[in-house]
Amino acid sequence: MSYTAPLSPQVIKTYPGNYDVDISTSQDIRIYFNVDLDKMSVKSSVRVTDEYGNNIDGTVIYKLEQEYTLDKITNVKQSNKKDNPVIIFTPTVPFP
């Protein structure tokens, strides 16, 4: 008999990315994970702050989002048939 420990959640991608520039101050923030998360703990645990540590008001959504790739020949989006867990934070007002 073998036992496989459950995977620990890890961030696999963010949008905007670490070095993205010229981002709209009203842009939502997306954080993608490698495994499904507990929906109730996500909503109560996510906090976004400015550079001074002040909370930024906004809406937190957790969902599974279909992943797509763009076919380079036909320029058509194709589903990878994989749902990625994602946290989406949308600010109530534009970021400072």
Side-chain angles (χ1 to χ4, degrees):
M1 176 181 269
S2 66
Y3 170 75
T4 303
L7 292 174
S8 297
Q10 295 181 358
V11 174
I12 57 171
K13 178 171 62 171
T14 61
Y15 179 80
N18 286 343
Y19 301 105
D20 288 352
V21 293
D22 298 325
I23 306 298
S24 167
T25 57
S26 59
Q27 173 68 48
D28 61 355
I29 298 171
R30 293 172 180 257
I31 307 167
Y32 295 86
F33 291 86
N34 63 330
V35 295
D36 203 6
L37 306 173
D38 177 58
K39 186 175 187 173
M40 295 311 292
S41 66
V42 165
K43 290 197 174 215
S44 64
S45 302
V46 172
R47 186 175 81 136
V48 177
T49 62
D50 64 16
E51 66 268 25
Y52 305 108
N54 300 312
N55 287 336
I56 295 176
D57 292 331
T59 304
V60 175
I61 297 172
Y62 174 72
K63 68 179 189 172
L64 298 177
E65 192 171 87
Q66 189 73 39
E67 182 177 298
Y68 295 92
T69 55
L70 189 62
D71 185 296
K72 293 179 182 178
I73 296 172
T74 63
N75 228 17
V76 174
K77 284 194 332 186
Q78 296 180 331
S79 171
N80 290 346
K81 296 187 178 169
K82 178 181 177 189
D83 288 330
N84 290 319
V86 60
I87 295 172
I88 303 168
F89 176 81
T90 304
T92 303
V93 295
F95 289 107

